[in-house]
Amino acid sequence: MALKLETRIKFRHLRAVLAVHERGSVAAAARELCVSSPAISKSLAEASDILGTELFHRNGRHPVITEAGERLVRFGRLVLTELEELEAELTLLSQGSTGSVTIGTSTHQAKGFIARASERLKGGQPRILIRMQDLEPVDILPHLRDGRIELAFGDFQHVTRVDDIDGVKLFDSETVLVASRDHPALALADPDWATLTSYAWALPPHSHAMRSGFETLWAEQQVPPPVNVLESSSLLSVPLTFDKMQLIGPAPRELAEAWLRMGLVGIIPRSVWLGGNPQGLLWSRDLPHSPAVKCFLSICLQMLEAGGEQDVPTA
């Protein structure tokens, strides 16, 4: 028997389920949506009745989402994101604009390529709004799948690991070691890994491909990883942190050389090869592209075909 969800599920049901899942309680969801707790409970009960299954079960005082609830959350995010995008598109149209492109990036080395593509897009379509978001590598796929971003610049290996993401390769990321300006390692002509790992390091989180690459490298070199580690997910915080502490850390070559020219860090004369870390332009195969997104993507592909990948760093 068909559930006829399109005529029975309301936006208040989706908002209630999402808010309880994200906030962890009915009371917190009620505060988030500026309604009463009984109203949230009623919406949850109605949604469960419509779907014919429980969306949450109790674990002490906190609701725990069921598998059916997770499916509804994923669907709800897509629907609400599309509505928010529609609202933004209509606002832009009322202002004389012609759409928007939301881009996420987890690689600083692609910023130059993005800037050139944006310049070309704005040259022909100045009213298109371009939104940029800096994301952690682990957030790229969820944001693409939920429609929170429409294009992404990040780990190209995602394309080979999953079926719902497509993309094109831009370049292989080259990593170098940077250090505080007066770090003793900068005076060493050919420092070995055992010496380098004896110092304090700034490293990305374990979820980052660069961190995994270094851990593999150290294992192959049969040297222990550094024990004094400062974890940071933001490359832009490196110069400030290195100015306050004696640290060594990895950085993309293009960014490291820019910091070097500004006198913010030194580059350690030690080659680093992490087995290749291809970066690419990614998009979801399952979600449709707006005309503005299609236009920006077309410009990016034209740049690559014309040799635009030579403008980004290569290993």
Side-chain angles (χ1 to χ4, degrees), residues 267-280:
I267 296 180
I268 294 176
R270 177 75 200 184
S271 61
V272 180
W273 175 245
L274 302 180
N277 185 22
Q279 303 295 301

Side-chain angles (χ1 to χ4, degrees), residues 200-204 228-232 238 241-242 247-250:
W201 279 62
L203 289 167
N228 189 352
V229 173
L230 173 68
E231 272 197 5
S232 175
V238 167
T241 307
F242 278 43
L247 291 167
I248 293 174

Side-chain angles (χ1 to χ4, degrees), residues 92-140:
L92 290 169
L93 284 174
S94 70
Q95 297 171 348
S97 299
T98 56
S100 65
V101 185
T102 304
I103 303 166
T105 177
S106 63
T107 171
H108 291 273
Q109 289 174 285
K111 294 293 178 69
F113 183 89
I114 298 171
R116 288 186 289 276
S118 299
E119 182 183 19
R120 294 191 186 187
L121 178 66
K122 286 289 191 177
Q125 301 285 344
R127 292 179 177 176
I128 290 179
L129 174 65
I130 301 175
R131 302 187 186 95
M132 294 289 299
Q133 297 182 22
D134 286 323
L135 299 173
E136 293 302 310
V138 295
D139 293 329
I140 289 291

Side-chain angles (χ1 to χ4, degrees), residues 16-31 37 40-41 44-45 48 54-67 69-70 73:
V17 173
L18 282 167
V20 171
H21 176 57
E22 292 170 355
R23 298 302 174 185
S25 72
V26 170
R31 290 192 295 271
S37 292
I40 294 291
S41 297
L44 294 181
S48 294
E54 291 296 320
L55 302 176
F56 295 92
H57 61 78
R58 284 281 175 184
N59 182 11
R61 298 177 60 185
H62 300 287
V64 178
I65 197 162
T66 64
E67 184 176 354
E70 289 179 346
V73 163

